[in-house]
């Protein structure tokens, strides 16, 4: 088996080209994802940050504490308090006492409010089909 021809030092190798392409595609995917979620958030009257915190709460198996949302989102607890305030005012979540520890407050998603998403994902579903 013949060894590949050496490339001049100033020429990128096929590996370098592949890595650069992969990096460019990663940046493009990131940009499109951020814009997609920003538009969904705007559709339901939220900021992108509030929407992503709501998504964390929606995906959780049980109601979360503000501290858990802060830990999962990477936001400070102070920032999360503001997020929860806004989500509560908008009717997406409510604060409830933990039935096992009355000192704790849990953030519970208001299921009926999720209908406000309406057909926002229909285009994506159609494209995937």
């Amino acid at each position: 088996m013949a060894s590949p021809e050496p490339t001049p030092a100033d020429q990128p190798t096929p590996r370098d080209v592949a890595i650069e392409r992969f990096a460019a595609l990663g940046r493009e995917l990131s940009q499109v994802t951020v814009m997609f979620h920003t538009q969904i958030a705007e559709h339901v009257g939220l900021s992108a940050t509030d929407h992503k915190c709501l998504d964390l709460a929606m995906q959780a198996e049980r109601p979360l504490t503000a501290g858990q949302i802060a830990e999962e989102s990477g936001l400070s607890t102070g920032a999360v308090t503001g997020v929860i305030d806004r989500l509560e005012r908008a009717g997406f979540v409510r604060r409830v006492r933990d039935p096992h520890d009355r000192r704790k407050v849990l953030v519970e998603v208001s299921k009926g409010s999720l209908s406000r998403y309406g057909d926002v994902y229909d285009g994506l579903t159609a494209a995937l089909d």
Side-chain angles (χ1 to χ4, degrees), residues 27 50 65 70 129:
R27 287 189 303 273
D50 293 355
T65 65
D129 282 344

Side-chain angles (χ1 to χ4, degrees), residues 40 43-46 54 58 90-93 109-122:
I40 290 172
H43 178 78
V44 296
L46 299 174
L54 175 60
M58 289 168 39
F92 284 101
V93 301
V109 176
S110 303
K111 301 297 182 194
S113 68
L114 302 181
S115 65
R116 291 167 51 190
Y117 279 85
D119 59 358
V120 71
Y121 289 102
D122 287 353

Side-chain angles (χ1 to χ4, degrees), residues 26-103:
R27 287 189 303 273
E28 185 178 337
L29 175 62
S30 177
Q31 291 168 351
V32 169
T33 301
V34 167
M35 296 310 298
F36 174 74
H37 285 287
T38 299
Q39 288 185 351
I40 290 172
E42 288 175 1
H43 178 78
V44 296
L46 299 174
S47 72
T49 299
D50 293 355
H51 173 257
K52 292 316 293 176
C53 288
L54 175 60
D55 189 50
L56 287 172
M58 289 168 39
Q59 298 303 317
E61 293 180 12
R62 60 189 183 288
L64 301 172
T65 65
Q68 289 170 317
I69 294 171
E71 185 176 317
E72 289 191 35
S73 68
L75 298 171
S76 70
T77 54
V80 167
T81 297
V83 167
I84 295 168
D85 288 345
R86 290 188 295 277
L87 290 174
E88 194 170 39
R89 274 194 307 272
F92 284 101
V93 301
R94 64 188 190 115
R95 289 176 169 101
V96 296
R97 292 275 178 211
D98 184 329
H100 305 292
D101 182 349
R102 304 278 300 155
R103 296 169 295 172

